[in-house]
């Protein structure tokens, strides 16, 4: 348990991604089997234990600690597991504050898996006696479910891949075919055979696009589709099972049961955009409309979806590509050939849940540019350009797919608040809140932005914040409302969460307008006119 | 400000209430600005300027400037002089007793920082000990705490919750050196309070065989010199500002906590940010401060030391001052000891300054 609890502590305090990867890789190389397999499952969120209830933990603590002292402590610390980890008084016959090494991670997991509700408190108490504060924290987090050490499943897998010199995408391909503690995976890492994932619905890395930089492209070579503002999704069916994967390879099947159910029985791998039915972006002439990203966001990140959610925000997938069709792996075929197979395939799917991403009809690039400009009113993000002969390959390859986003919208705002950044930026005030003028002549926050500037500009902005602070609220500095900044953003939406009533998508700093007086910054009314 | 003749009190059940007490040592009064010793017409660690001040130790929230006369240990007076220039002070060495009016006043080592003292007040057949800030752990930079039997113990409670148990300092120094040696191309930047914590960390590093030069922020220089003047060995120290990034690789650099994430640290070679404080035991506190290497090193008594000291001194009454008073008062109640919380203002938590 000691090595695992040290790993968790390290991950909690380490800010840099590379340093986190190094910690995970070190652990994966040095920890014994099957401990490291269980640790990997815990980090990727694939370890499911019958969770011990918070009330059971409170009950065992109440046997050893005065309840009022415990309550005062929990109020101070905030987190139940951490409070118990810190306050736990050992039995007299146990050595003080030492992980005595008698509990291996695998043994702990095994025990937690078999625990009945009645025996859980006593068993947990007995295990806590053998651990130090870090170990107790790790045990309690495992037992209550959810480590929350601030890393994604993808990062954990990348750390594992790094430990054994494997390609993380290759790991991803076999991942969902395997179960904790992943004996085959570690055997592969140590030089054995790669596990065979066939028969399970596993993830294939997405093909991605570069931003278009060329002035023009020959539409004889490239096909154009609309770029929709949802999330990329991969639907993998084996005939028996269906899984949905996000762009990062995270399993989001549980979040979209409506889509999973509609895809039941397919034997294929599809690539598309997850969207919610609505009118905010696109129209019939673009192949059908969809709700804004804001609406989709209501559905994201949920493990349990209520019937109300499903009814209020019905999801559908706009299909882009077909990677596998039954026994045929189409990925090496040209886009045109895959598109033909996709059209045939999509025709058999439920039209309420699946439609085809339309190919834009344009004789030449100029006409496409005109069509794209016209689509701004329909709130479409831009267009995708796909080489007609391109195979489906993982990642970004030059020359194959391009995204040609419409030019961003801009608005002049006034800086209101600033906060320090993280990691390399922790000494800089790099996270800013900007406001626009209300009708009453009051500045109201409309956006937070922390990108778009050069290193030089960041230094200047940091200096501005330090020299123009008028108030401090904990880590937040309020600044003199004198600096105008031009923000670029992709779109703007109604928002009930902000006092200004609007929320921007992808706001970033376009220009610092030192020349402009703050009273000439834009109004919220101007911003509202850009809502479509 | 009016001097209260009553205490703002918290009774043994944790419910706060203002009420009058019939109590021991009626010649001592607590007001929000400090503890007033009426027959001596003197204040202990007052938060505002007064004519006669009895100062327990040199931290700025206890040793304020502007008093008419300050009674303190020679070390504490030197620290005050460093901060406030010339001050009118009467040195009272450990073990010495002075009389102010009918009150005999002695200074006893508190083990908190150089010169820190508990103040023993004897009057009308009663003994009152004001601990000031104290700890029971070994500290090579100051005299160790001496328990003093008394009728009333006025104790601090900075870490007065049972979640606070400081690990042995050797364990934390080993972690610091481990991180340093694991990344020789970086440096470890330790945030440590300029008075006491910084010198203790340096002295402990030396005791653990770390003989390399240690680099310090300008705000620590004068205090380190003062410690050396009082005979504390700190080894080779250099100003961090004069060193190149190349020289700082693989080295320990110390700065006050406020400089940890500030522009000052940009010159350093990819520093591992560490902080030496008792608060580092709580994860969220460490994360809020952007700390990568939390070192649980405190100059205050932890929960076990606070409760063990109360048992050892065995006073008939316990008055609890700044910190988390309620929990300690409740603990006293659980153990059939009479205790109350004093509502004093103006004291800061460790490293919060």
């Amino acid at each position: 348990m000691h090595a695992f609890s040290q790993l968790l502590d390290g991950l909690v305090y380490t800010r840099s991604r590379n340093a986190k990867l190094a910690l995970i890789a070190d652990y994966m190389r040095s920890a014994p089997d099957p401990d490291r397999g269980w640790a990997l499952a815990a980090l990727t969120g694939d370890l499911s234990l019958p969770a011990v209830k918070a009330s059971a933990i409170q009950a065992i603590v109440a046997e050893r600690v005065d309840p009022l002292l415990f309550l005062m402590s929990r109020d101070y610390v905030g987190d139940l597991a951490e409070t118990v980890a810190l306050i736990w008084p050992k039995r007299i016959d146990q050595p003080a504050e030492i992980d005595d090494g008698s509990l291996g991670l695998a043994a702990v997991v095994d025990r937690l898996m078999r625990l009945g509700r009645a025996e859980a408190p006593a068993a947990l108490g007995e295990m806590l006696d053998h651990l130090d504060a870090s170990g107790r924290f790790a045990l309690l987090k495992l037992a209550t479910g959810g480590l929350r050490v601030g890393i994604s499943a993808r990062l954990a897998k990348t750390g594992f891949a790094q430990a054994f010199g494997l390609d993380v995408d290759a790991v991803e391909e076999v991942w969902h075919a395997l179960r904790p503690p992943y004996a085959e995976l570690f055997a592969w890492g140590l030089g054995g055979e790669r596990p065979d994932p066939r028969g399970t619905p596993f993830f294939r890395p997405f093909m991605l696009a570069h931003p278009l930089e060329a002035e023009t492209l020959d539409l004889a070579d490239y096909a154009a589709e609309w770029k929709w503002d949802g999330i990329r999704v991969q639907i993998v069916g084996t005939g028996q099972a269906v899984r949905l994967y996000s762009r990062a390879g995270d399993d989001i099947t549980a979040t979209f049961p409506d889509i999973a159910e509609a895809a039941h029985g397919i034997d294929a791998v599809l690539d598309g955009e997850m969207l919610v039915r609505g009118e905010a972006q696109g129209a019939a002439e673009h192949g059908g409309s969809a709700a804004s990203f804001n609406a989709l966001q209501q559905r994201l990140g949920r493990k349990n979806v209520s019937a109300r959610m499903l009814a209020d925000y019905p999801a559908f997938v706009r299909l882009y590509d077909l990677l596998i069709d039954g026994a045929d792996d189409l990925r090496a075929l040209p886009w045109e050939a895959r598109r033909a197979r996709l059209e045939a395939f999509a025709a058999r799917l439920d039209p309420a849940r699946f439609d085809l991403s339309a190919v834009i009809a344009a004789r030449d690039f100029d006409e496409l540019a005109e069509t794209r400009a016209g689509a701004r009113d329909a709130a479409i993000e831009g267009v995708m350009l796909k080489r007609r002969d391109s195979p489906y390959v993982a990642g970004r390859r030059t020359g194959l797919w391009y995204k040609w986003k419409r030019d961003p919208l801009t608005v002049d705002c006034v800086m209101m608040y600033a906060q320090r950044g993280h990691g390399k930026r922790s000494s800089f005030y790099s996270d800013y809140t900007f406001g626009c003028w209300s009708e009453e002549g009051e500045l109201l926050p409309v956006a937070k932005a922390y990108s778009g500037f050069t290193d030089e500009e960041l230094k200047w902005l940091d200096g501005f914040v330090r020299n123009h602070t008028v108030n401090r609220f904990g880590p937040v500095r309020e600044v003199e409302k004198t600096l105008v900044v031009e923000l670029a953003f992709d779109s703007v939406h109604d928002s009930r969460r902000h006092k200004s009533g609007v929320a921007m998508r992808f706001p970033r700093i376009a220009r610092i307008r030192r020349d402009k007086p703050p009273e000439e910054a834009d109004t919220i009314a101007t911003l509202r006119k850009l809502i479509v | 400000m009016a001097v209260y003749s009553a205490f703002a009190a918290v009774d043994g059940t944790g419910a706060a209430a203002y009420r009058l007490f019939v109590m021991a040592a009626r010649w001592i009064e607590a007001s929000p600005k400090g503890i007033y010793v009426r027959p001596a017409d003197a204040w202990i660690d007052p938060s505002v300027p007064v004519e006669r001040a009895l100062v327990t130790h040199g931290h700025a929230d206890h040793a304020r400037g502007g008093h008419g006369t300050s009674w303190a240990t020679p070390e504490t007076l030197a620290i005050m002089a460093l901060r406030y220039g010339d001050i009118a002070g009467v040195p009272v060495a450990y073990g010495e007793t002075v009389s102010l009016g009918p009150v005999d006043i002695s200074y006893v080592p508190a083990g908190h920082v150089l010169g820190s003292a508990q103040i023993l007040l004897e009057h009308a057949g009663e003994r009152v000990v004001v601990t000031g800030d104290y700890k029971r752990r070994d500290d090579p930079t100051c005299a160790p705490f001496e328990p003093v039997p008394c009728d009333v113990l006025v104790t601090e409670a900075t870490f007065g919750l049972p979640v606070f148990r400081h690990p042995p300092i050797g364990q934390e120094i080993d972690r610091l050196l481990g991180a340093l040696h694991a990344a020789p191309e970086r440096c470890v930047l330790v945030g440590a309070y300029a008075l006491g914590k910084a010198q203790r960390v340096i002295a402990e590093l030396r005791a653990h065989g770390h003989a390399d030069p240690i680099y310090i922020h300008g705000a620590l220089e004068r205090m380190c010199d003062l410690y050396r003047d009082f005979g504390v060995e700190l080894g080779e120290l250099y100003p961090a500002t004069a060193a190149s990034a190349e020289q700082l690789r693989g080295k320990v650099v110390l700065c006050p906590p406020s400089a940890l994430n500030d522009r000052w640290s940009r010159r350093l070679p990819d520093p591992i940010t560490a902080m030496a404080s008792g608060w580092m035991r709580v994860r969220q506190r460490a994360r809020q401060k952007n700390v990568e290497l939390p070192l649980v090193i405190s100059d205050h008594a932890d929960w076990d030391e606070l409760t063990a000291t109360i048992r050892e001194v065995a006073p008939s009454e316990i008055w609890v001052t700044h910190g988390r008073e309620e929990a300690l008062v409740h603990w006293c109640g659980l153990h059939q000891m009479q205790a109350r919380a004093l509502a004093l203002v103006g004291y800061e938590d460790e490293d919060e300054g």
Side-chain angles (χ1 to χ4, degrees), chain A residues 403-480:
Chain A
K403 53 185 169 192
W404 188 22
K405 285 210 199 184
R406 67 175 182 216
D407 299 330
L409 300 161
T410 63
V411 64
D412 288 336
C413 302
V414 182
M415 186 189 283
M416 301 180 69
Y417 305 98
Q419 241 181 310
R420 288 178 200 272
H422 290 298
K424 284 211 157 104
R425 282 190 180 175
S426 60
S427 75
F428 291 93
Y429 284 88
S430 64
D431 300 4
Y432 315 104
T433 303
F434 296 99
C436 285
W437 298 104
S438 73
E439 275 177 34
E440 293 77 35
E442 190 188 356
L443 268 182
L444 294 180
V446 293
K448 283 190 177 193
Y450 13 81
S451 64
F453 37 72
T454 63
D455 288 354
E456 281 310 304
E457 284 171 324
L458 174 58
K459 273 189 196 157
W460 188 87
L461 286 164
D462 177 65
F464 174 85
V465 171
R466 289 168 191 277
N467 296 327
H468 296 83
T469 299
V470 295
N471 239 324
R472 294 169 196 228
F473 310 98
V476 178
R477 287 195 184 205
E478 181 179 3
V479 297
E480 269 174 32

Side-chain angles (χ1 to χ4, degrees), chain A residues 106-127:
Chain A
V108 167
V109 169
D110 187 60
R111 188 110 186 251
L112 289 174
M113 278 184 168
R114 293 159 198 273
L115 272 188
R117 189 180 291 184
E119 57 180 335
L124 212 52
E126 196 268 322
M127 286 192 275

Side-chain angles (χ1 to χ4, degrees), chain A residues 9 12-13 15 66 68-69 72-73 76-77 82-83 86-89 97 137 420 422 426-428 462 466, chain B residues 13 161-165 261-263 266 279 281-283 285-287 290-292 294 324 326-327 330 334:
Chain A
D9 273 2
V12 164
Y13 296 120
R15 302 265 167 181
D66 174 71
L68 192 56
L69 287 178
M72 289 175 180
S73 298
Y76 183 84
V77 174
E82 181 164 16
T83 311
L86 295 178
I87 210 170
W88 189 253
E97 282 301 291
F137 181 73
R420 288 178 200 272
H422 290 298
S426 60
S427 75
F428 291 93
D462 177 65
R466 289 168 191 277
Chain B
T13 63
L161 281 173
V163 285
F164 292 111
R165 275 189 237 139
N261 288 314
D262 209 348
R263 280 183 280 191
R266 285 181 205 161
W279 301 116
R281 185 153 160 92
V282 178
R283 282 179 170 72
R285 293 288 287 250
R287 281 181 61 87
N290 266 336
V291 170
E292 292 172 85
R324 272 123 284 279
E326 298 87 344
H330 177 69
L334 289 175

Side-chain angles (χ1 to χ4, degrees), chain B residues 73-99:
Chain B
T73 62
E75 296 88 345
T76 298
L77 288 177
I79 291 163
M80 291 173 75
L82 195 64
R83 196 174 289 132
Y84 306 117
D86 274 347
I87 55 158
V90 179
V92 188
Y94 292 135
E96 284 181 12
T97 301
V98 292
S99 298

Side-chain angles (χ1 to χ4, degrees), chain A residues 205-213 217 221-223 225 232 271-272 319-323 331 333-336 338 383-404:
Chain A
F206 278 101
M207 180 161 180
L208 305 170
H210 275 289
L212 180 67
E213 277 162 14
L217 286 175
D221 296 334
Y222 286 87
E225 293 173 55
R232 275 292 275 290
D271 177 354
L319 297 168
Y320 292 141
D321 218 315
L322 179 61
L323 283 64
R331 285 179 287 182
L333 298 181
W335 173 85
E336 274 183 327
R338 294 200 310 278
V383 301
M384 299 294 303
L385 290 152
K386 298 178 178 175
R387 229 189 124 82
R388 293 175 187 277
D389 61 2
S390 66
Y392 193 99
V393 286
R396 285 191 180 85
R397 292 288 173 88
T398 313
L400 298 185
W401 285 12
Y402 291 106
K403 53 185 169 192
W404 188 22

